[in-house]
Every structure is written in C-alpha cells, then in structure tokens.
Amino acid sequence: MKKTLKAVTLVAGLTLLSSPVSSFAATYGTTAVQYHNQWVKKGSFWTYYNANGALQKGWLSLNNKWYFFDANGYMKTGWVSVSGKWYYFDANGVMKTGWVKVSTQWYFFDASGVMKTGWVKSGSDWYYMNANGTMKTGWLQTGGKWYYLNPTSGKMALGWNNINGKTYYFYNTGIMAVNTTIEGKQIGADGAAVDPTLNKIKEVAAGYGVTVEYDAENDVYDLFQGDEYIASVVADGIVFADAAHEELFKKLALALGAPVTETELNDLIAQAQASETLDVDTGSVYVAADETGFEIVWGTAYSGE
C-alpha cells in the first residue's frame, strides 16, 4: 500500500513538473524572435525588418537614403540592375547619385539613381557618357558632327581650343566648326584653323629648334626652346623676345610684316638701347630694347596703342 502511494505521488509530481516546461516550449521554442524597424546581420549580409516585422525586399527609403534588397532580403552593394536600369550602391548600401568614380572610371547617376548614358548636363557644363556609362573624353563623333571632350575633366569644348598643335572652334552647341571663317580665321574641312601667322612663325622657328604654342584665349603665339620660354608673337603686330635671341626676334618681325628692312630694324634697336627711355617711335613702328629683351610693335597693334 505504501509502495502504491509512492508511485502515485511520483507520477503526479512528474506531471506537475512537466506541464509548464512543455507549455514554455510550445509557446516560445518554435517562435522566431521578432524584429521591427531594425537592421539584422545574417552571416556577411545585412537585412532589414520593417514596421510589420517582415523581411524587407526591393527598395527601402530610410532617413532620406535609398537601399535595395534582393529576393533573399540581403542588402545590395555595388552595381545593381533593376528593371533594366543600372544603379550603384556604396559599401553601406546607400544608393549614389551625381558623379561617382568606380575604380578609374567616372559615371553619372541622375536624382533617381539611374546611370546615365549619352549627353549629360552637370552645372553649366555638358558631358558625354558612353553606352557602358563611363565618361567620354577626347574626340566624339555623333549625329554626323564632331565634338571634343576635355581629356581630364570630360567637359565639352566651346570656343577656340588648341588640340595637339592645331586650333579648332566649337560653337555654343559644342559642334566643331568646318569650312567657314570665324574672327578672321579661315577654318578648313577638317575643322583646323588655317593660320598663316602660325605657319610663318613655324617656318622661322624651325631654323632655331624652337616650338610654337598658340594661346587661343589670349590670341598669342608663345615660342619655347625645350621648356624655356624665349619669345611671343601677337598676330596683329607685336613681337617680344629675350635678349639672348635677338636674331630670332628680328627674323620673326620681318617675316610677319614689320614695315622696316633688316638694316632699319638694327638701327632702331641700337637707337632704343642708347636712349634714356630705352625705346624709339618712328610714327609707324615702336621699338623697345634693353639688356633683358626686345619688343617691336607695328600695324593694327601700333594703331591701337
């Protein structure tokens, strides 16, 4: 009788102990932890649970930033194609807009994050993006017209530009001018300005191992021997040269039409060097000369003085 009582008591005790444990397991053991408006990292991937506690998929706007999650709920970084459009997300998953440099290439994304191709206006400047989104530089032919994009910044060229030793003009649309005359300069079928002044300067400079660079902005031709500047020419009648290059100076002035003979120019230089003011004016030609250099002015430039 005592054994029976003990057995009943033991069974009853086990029942009382096991009921709460199994109830706890049923209530909590099979239910996942719920997250709301919360980032959760799973392995190497970030996920986000929205206000309903659901795993976020697709687009998410959070604190004025856009994110994108794939079908598994994993936050995307880098390049992502969505509905046929390309987007770029940084290492934090934030969608990028505007200019973005990826590796060594520049790309442009509009305000909605879409990668742009073709012509793009940024600020007051125009750029051209290739079919793969990379920024175009150098020469561009599109629509049967030629354009030039700065080799460093990618900006579309406007006005006069010196490119690889030749001078070109680009209208305010960016289109290269051909077969026309602009500001007195004849432009050929290849877009390069036919510059008689430059040709004459090059003919003279060649005999001295000198190179010529045209400064389109200031309409000045600068001459260099190696990296050393030695002279300048203004097309409408001014020649400058340092004292070490007197012969080059005289030949440039005479080749470009200074209204004097070589003998007369020699005399004018001597008179200028001997005068207190270090210059002489004949009424049509002005010459300045000292121990540092020479200057001669004539023609339109003289008339405008």
Side-chain angles (χ1 to χ4, degrees), residues 175-197:
I175 296 172
M176 181 186 75
V178 295
N179 295 323
T180 187
T181 300
I182 297 176
E183 297 176 3
K185 290 185 173 65
Q186 182 183 348
I187 298 174
D190 64 350
V194 179
D195 190 339
T197 300

PDB file of all heavy atoms in Angstrom, residues 175-197:
ATOM      1  N   ILE A 175      29.404  71.815 -81.285  1.00  0.00           N
ATOM      2  CA  ILE A 175      29.729  71.281 -82.612  1.00  0.00           C
ATOM      3  C   ILE A 175      30.959  71.988 -83.174  1.00  0.00           C
ATOM      4  O   ILE A 175      31.069  73.218 -83.114  1.00  0.00           O
ATOM      5  CB  ILE A 175      28.540  71.456 -83.573  1.00  0.00           C
ATOM      6  CG1 ILE A 175      27.351  70.635 -83.082  1.00  0.00           C
ATOM      7  CG2 ILE A 175      28.921  71.052 -84.995  1.00  0.00           C
ATOM      8  CD1 ILE A 175      26.065  70.877 -83.855  1.00  0.00           C
ATOM      9  N   MET A 176      31.888  71.208 -83.724  1.00  0.00           N
ATOM     10  CA  MET A 176      33.101  71.764 -84.315  1.00  0.00           C
ATOM     11  C   MET A 176      32.786  72.489 -85.621  1.00  0.00           C
ATOM     12  O   MET A 176      32.052  71.971 -86.467  1.00  0.00           O
ATOM     13  CB  MET A 176      34.102  70.633 -84.585  1.00  0.00           C
ATOM     14  CG  MET A 176      35.417  71.096 -85.188  1.00  0.00           C
ATOM     15  SD  MET A 176      36.469  69.690 -85.638  1.00  0.00           S
ATOM     16  CE  MET A 176      35.618  69.118 -87.139  1.00  0.00           C
ATOM     17  N   ALA A 177      33.321  73.691 -85.770  1.00  0.00           N
ATOM     18  CA  ALA A 177      33.124  74.470 -86.992  1.00  0.00           C
ATOM     19  C   ALA A 177      33.981  73.902 -88.119  1.00  0.00           C
ATOM     20  O   ALA A 177      35.109  73.470 -87.893  1.00  0.00           O
ATOM     21  CB  ALA A 177      33.483  75.923 -86.745  1.00  0.00           C
ATOM     22  N   VAL A 178      33.433  73.895 -89.333  1.00  0.00           N
ATOM     23  CA  VAL A 178      34.185  73.461 -90.520  1.00  0.00           C
ATOM     24  C   VAL A 178      33.848  74.384 -91.687  1.00  0.00           C
ATOM     25  O   VAL A 178      32.767  74.982 -91.748  1.00  0.00           O
ATOM     26  CB  VAL A 178      33.855  72.000 -90.918  1.00  0.00           C
ATOM     27  CG1 VAL A 178      34.300  71.022 -89.844  1.00  0.00           C
ATOM     28  CG2 VAL A 178      32.356  71.836 -91.195  1.00  0.00           C
ATOM     29  N   ASN A 179      34.810  74.530 -92.605  1.00  0.00           N
ATOM     30  CA  ASN A 179      34.596  75.262 -93.866  1.00  0.00           C
ATOM     31  C   ASN A 179      33.946  76.631 -93.656  1.00  0.00           C
ATOM     32  O   ASN A 179      32.917  76.949 -94.256  1.00  0.00           O
ATOM     33  CB  ASN A 179      33.747  74.427 -94.826  1.00  0.00           C
ATOM     34  CG  ASN A 179      34.468  73.164 -95.259  1.00  0.00           C
ATOM     35  OD1 ASN A 179      35.673  73.159 -95.466  1.00  0.00           O
ATOM     36  ND2 ASN A 179      33.713  72.076 -95.392  1.00  0.00           N
ATOM     37  N   THR A 180      34.547  77.433 -92.812  1.00  0.00           N
ATOM     38  CA  THR A 180      33.990  78.754 -92.548  1.00  0.00           C
ATOM     39  C   THR A 180      35.110  79.681 -92.086  1.00  0.00           C
ATOM     40  O   THR A 180      36.264  79.274 -91.969  1.00  0.00           O
ATOM     41  CB  THR A 180      32.873  78.677 -91.479  1.00  0.00           C
ATOM     42  OG1 THR A 180      32.244  79.949 -91.353  1.00  0.00           O
ATOM     43  CG2 THR A 180      33.427  78.253 -90.132  1.00  0.00           C
ATOM     44  N   THR A 181      34.753  80.941 -91.831  1.00  0.00           N
ATOM     45  CA  THR A 181      35.702  81.906 -91.288  1.00  0.00           C
ATOM     46  C   THR A 181      35.125  82.487 -90.007  1.00  0.00           C
ATOM     47  O   THR A 181      33.984  82.968 -90.000  1.00  0.00           O
ATOM     48  CB  THR A 181      35.985  83.035 -92.294  1.00  0.00           C
ATOM     49  OG1 THR A 181      36.542  82.465 -93.486  1.00  0.00           O
ATOM     50  CG2 THR A 181      36.973  84.040 -91.705  1.00  0.00           C
ATOM     51  N   ILE A 182      35.881  82.434 -88.932  1.00  0.00           N
ATOM     52  CA  ILE A 182      35.431  82.939 -87.637  1.00  0.00           C
ATOM     53  C   ILE A 182      36.505  83.849 -87.073  1.00  0.00           C
ATOM     54  O   ILE A 182      37.671  83.451 -86.977  1.00  0.00           O
ATOM     55  CB  ILE A 182      35.139  81.780 -86.654  1.00  0.00           C
ATOM     56  CG1 ILE A 182      33.982  80.917 -87.192  1.00  0.00           C
ATOM     57  CG2 ILE A 182      34.805  82.313 -85.265  1.00  0.00           C
ATOM     58  CD1 ILE A 182      33.679  79.709 -86.343  1.00  0.00           C
ATOM     59  N   GLU A 183      36.086  85.082 -86.734  1.00  0.00           N
ATOM     60  CA  GLU A 183      37.009  86.072 -86.168  1.00  0.00           C
ATOM     61  C   GLU A 183      38.261  86.238 -87.033  1.00  0.00           C
ATOM     62  O   GLU A 183      39.389  86.333 -86.531  1.00  0.00           O
ATOM     63  CB  GLU A 183      37.389  85.673 -84.735  1.00  0.00           C
ATOM     64  CG  GLU A 183      36.192  85.664 -83.791  1.00  0.00           C
ATOM     65  CD  GLU A 183      36.533  85.174 -82.399  1.00  0.00           C
ATOM     66  OE1 GLU A 183      37.724  84.890 -82.137  1.00  0.00           O
ATOM     67  OE2 GLU A 183      35.612  85.062 -81.571  1.00  0.00           O
ATOM     68  N   GLY A 184      38.035  86.224 -88.338  1.00  0.00           N
ATOM     69  CA  GLY A 184      39.122  86.433 -89.277  1.00  0.00           C
ATOM     70  C   GLY A 184      39.978  85.217 -89.562  1.00  0.00           C
ATOM     71  O   GLY A 184      40.893  85.277 -90.378  1.00  0.00           O
ATOM     72  N   LYS A 185      39.686  84.111 -88.923  1.00  0.00           N
ATOM     73  CA  LYS A 185      40.458  82.888 -89.134  1.00  0.00           C
ATOM     74  C   LYS A 185      39.694  81.931 -90.035  1.00  0.00           C
ATOM     75  O   LYS A 185      38.524  81.616 -89.777  1.00  0.00           O
ATOM     76  CB  LYS A 185      40.772  82.204 -87.796  1.00  0.00           C
ATOM     77  CG  LYS A 185      41.771  82.959 -86.935  1.00  0.00           C
ATOM     78  CD  LYS A 185      42.119  82.157 -85.692  1.00  0.00           C
ATOM     79  CE  LYS A 185      43.244  82.802 -84.904  1.00  0.00           C
ATOM     80  NZ  LYS A 185      42.891  84.111 -84.354  1.00  0.00           N
ATOM     81  N   GLN A 186      40.371  81.486 -91.086  1.00  0.00           N
ATOM     82  CA  GLN A 186      39.774  80.534 -92.004  1.00  0.00           C
ATOM     83  C   GLN A 186      39.870  79.129 -91.409  1.00  0.00           C
ATOM     84  O   GLN A 186      40.917  78.721 -90.915  1.00  0.00           O
ATOM     85  CB  GLN A 186      40.495  80.575 -93.355  1.00  0.00           C
ATOM     86  CG  GLN A 186      39.901  79.640 -94.396  1.00  0.00           C
ATOM     87  CD  GLN A 186      40.688  79.666 -95.687  1.00  0.00           C
ATOM     88  OE1 GLN A 186      41.535  80.536 -95.889  1.00  0.00           O
ATOM     89  NE2 GLN A 186      40.412  78.706 -96.565  1.00  0.00           N
ATOM     90  N   ILE A 187      38.751  78.395 -91.486  1.00  0.00           N
ATOM     91  CA  ILE A 187      38.695  77.045 -90.924  1.00  0.00           C
ATOM     92  C   ILE A 187      38.436  76.051 -92.047  1.00  0.00           C
ATOM     93  O   ILE A 187      37.517  76.230 -92.852  1.00  0.00           O
ATOM     94  CB  ILE A 187      37.596  76.938 -89.850  1.00  0.00           C
ATOM     95  CG1 ILE A 187      37.934  77.890 -88.695  1.00  0.00           C
ATOM     96  CG2 ILE A 187      37.451  75.507 -89.345  1.00  0.00           C
ATOM     97  CD1 ILE A 187      36.857  77.997 -87.645  1.00  0.00           C
ATOM     98  N   GLY A 188      39.247  75.018 -92.114  1.00  0.00           N
ATOM     99  CA  GLY A 188      39.167  74.047 -93.188  1.00  0.00           C
ATOM    100  C   GLY A 188      38.147  72.949 -92.956  1.00  0.00           C
ATOM    101  O   GLY A 188      37.433  72.928 -91.941  1.00  0.00           O
ATOM    102  N   ALA A 189      38.095  72.002 -93.891  1.00  0.00           N
ATOM    103  CA  ALA A 189      37.129  70.904 -93.822  1.00  0.00           C
ATOM    104  C   ALA A 189      37.387  69.987 -92.637  1.00  0.00           C
ATOM    105  O   ALA A 189      36.470  69.324 -92.141  1.00  0.00           O
ATOM    106  CB  ALA A 189      37.171  70.098 -95.122  1.00  0.00           C
ATOM    107  N   ASP A 190      38.641  69.935 -92.155  1.00  0.00           N
ATOM    108  CA  ASP A 190      38.962  69.083 -91.005  1.00  0.00           C
ATOM    109  C   ASP A 190      38.748  69.790 -89.673  1.00  0.00           C
ATOM    110  O   ASP A 190      39.011  69.231 -88.608  1.00  0.00           O
ATOM    111  CB  ASP A 190      40.399  68.582 -91.092  1.00  0.00           C
ATOM    112  CG  ASP A 190      41.419  69.722 -90.999  1.00  0.00           C
ATOM    113  OD1 ASP A 190      41.005  70.901 -91.061  1.00  0.00           O
ATOM    114  OD2 ASP A 190      42.620  69.415 -90.875  1.00  0.00           O
ATOM    115  N   GLY A 191      38.256  71.035 -89.737  1.00  0.00           N
ATOM    116  CA  GLY A 191      37.982  71.786 -88.517  1.00  0.00           C
ATOM    117  C   GLY A 191      39.153  72.595 -88.008  1.00  0.00           C
ATOM    118  O   GLY A 191      38.987  73.444 -87.133  1.00  0.00           O
ATOM    119  N   ALA A 192      40.346  72.331 -88.515  1.00  0.00           N
ATOM    120  CA  ALA A 192      41.528  73.054 -88.050  1.00  0.00           C
ATOM    121  C   ALA A 192      41.610  74.419 -88.710  1.00  0.00           C
ATOM    122  O   ALA A 192      41.362  74.556 -89.915  1.00  0.00           O
ATOM    123  CB  ALA A 192      42.787  72.247 -88.344  1.00  0.00           C
ATOM    124  N   ALA A 193      41.947  75.433 -87.926  1.00  0.00           N
ATOM    125  CA  ALA A 193      42.077  76.783 -88.466  1.00  0.00           C
ATOM    126  C   ALA A 193      43.323  76.866 -89.341  1.00  0.00           C
ATOM    127  O   ALA A 193      44.386  76.358 -88.986  1.00  0.00           O
ATOM    128  CB  ALA A 193      42.181  77.791 -87.329  1.00  0.00           C
ATOM    129  N   VAL A 194      43.124  77.473 -90.520  1.00  0.00           N
ATOM    130  CA  VAL A 194      44.257  77.731 -91.416  1.00  0.00           C
ATOM    131  C   VAL A 194      44.859  79.045 -90.947  1.00  0.00           C
ATOM    132  O   VAL A 194      44.304  80.120 -91.169  1.00  0.00           O
ATOM    133  CB  VAL A 194      43.787  77.813 -92.880  1.00  0.00           C
ATOM    134  CG1 VAL A 194      44.971  78.097 -93.783  1.00  0.00           C
ATOM    135  CG2 VAL A 194      43.071  76.529 -93.282  1.00  0.00           C
ATOM    136  N   ASP A 195      45.995  78.963 -90.276  1.00  0.00           N
ATOM    137  CA  ASP A 195      46.573  80.130 -89.610  1.00  0.00           C
ATOM    138  C   ASP A 195      47.870  80.542 -90.305  1.00  0.00           C
ATOM    139  O   ASP A 195      48.937  79.975 -90.036  1.00  0.00           O
ATOM    140  CB  ASP A 195      46.844  79.776 -88.144  1.00  0.00           C
ATOM    141  CG  ASP A 195      47.213  80.989 -87.317  1.00  0.00           C
ATOM    142  OD1 ASP A 195      47.647  81.996 -87.906  1.00  0.00           O
ATOM    143  OD2 ASP A 195      47.086  80.922 -86.088  1.00  0.00           O
ATOM    144  N   PRO A 196      47.818  81.520 -91.201  1.00  0.00           N
ATOM    145  CA  PRO A 196      49.033  81.940 -91.906  1.00  0.00           C
ATOM    146  C   PRO A 196      50.099  82.488 -90.960  1.00  0.00           C
ATOM    147  O   PRO A 196      51.292  82.324 -91.202  1.00  0.00           O
ATOM    148  CB  PRO A 196      48.534  83.020 -92.875  1.00  0.00           C
ATOM    149  CG  PRO A 196      47.230  83.475 -92.310  1.00  0.00           C
ATOM    150  CD  PRO A 196      46.638  82.298 -91.626  1.00  0.00           C
ATOM    151  N   THR A 197      49.666  83.151 -89.891  1.00  0.00           N
ATOM    152  CA  THR A 197      50.633  83.664 -88.918  1.00  0.00           C
ATOM    153  C   THR A 197      51.405  82.516 -88.281  1.00  0.00           C
ATOM    154  O   THR A 197      52.635  82.558 -88.169  1.00  0.00           O
ATOM    155  CB  THR A 197      49.922  84.486 -87.818  1.00  0.00           C
ATOM    156  OG1 THR A 197      49.247  85.589 -88.420  1.00  0.00           O
ATOM    157  CG2 THR A 197      50.919  84.994 -86.787  1.00  0.00           C
TER     158      THR A 197
END
